[in-house]
Amino acid sequence: MTTATAAEFKPEAKKEDVMGMRVGYARVSSSGQKLDLQLDRLADCDRIYHEKASAASAKGRPELQKALDFVRDEDVFVLNP
């Protein structure tokens, strides 16, 4: 598995050149924040997981856990900073 931030991810890479999937994860920590900008940055991902969670650990982030369970060695896991 390769990890990249949305800013580092190169969307110009042709999808057929990549063996695995691009799996994205976005999170905001408060209800006043919006996911829109992060989701826009992940638009080229094949699958996107997102949530609103203020938990400091992955234990309180069920969508992160689902993403980590889903991603395979040949996938690129794209995170928003």
Side-chain angles (χ1 to χ4, degrees), residues 35-54:
L35 282 166
D36 298 348
L37 182 58
Q38 290 187 40
L39 295 175
D40 287 345
R41 290 180 181 165
L42 296 172
D44 290 338
C45 290
D46 298 299
R47 180 170 278 198
I48 300 171
Y49 293 86
H50 59 87
E51 62 194 334
K52 291 185 179 183
S54 60

Side-chain angles (χ1 to χ4, degrees), residues 5-64:
T5 65
E8 295 169 335
F9 184 65
K10 306 282 190 264
E12 64 272 4
K14 294 179 183 169
K15 193 171 184 174
E16 57 270 12
D17 293 339
V18 180
M19 295 290 293
M21 293 177 68
R22 295 179 304 264
V23 180
Y25 173 74
R27 177 185 73 88
V28 293
S29 59
S30 70
S31 59
Q33 295 176 318
K34 295 184 180 183
L35 282 166
D36 298 348
L37 182 58
Q38 290 187 40
L39 295 175
D40 287 345
R41 290 180 181 165
L42 296 172
D44 290 338
C45 290
D46 298 299
R47 180 170 278 198
I48 300 171
Y49 293 86
H50 59 87
E51 62 194 334
K52 291 185 179 183
S54 60
S57 72
K59 197 178 242 186
R61 301 179 189 172
E63 290 300 306
L64 174 60

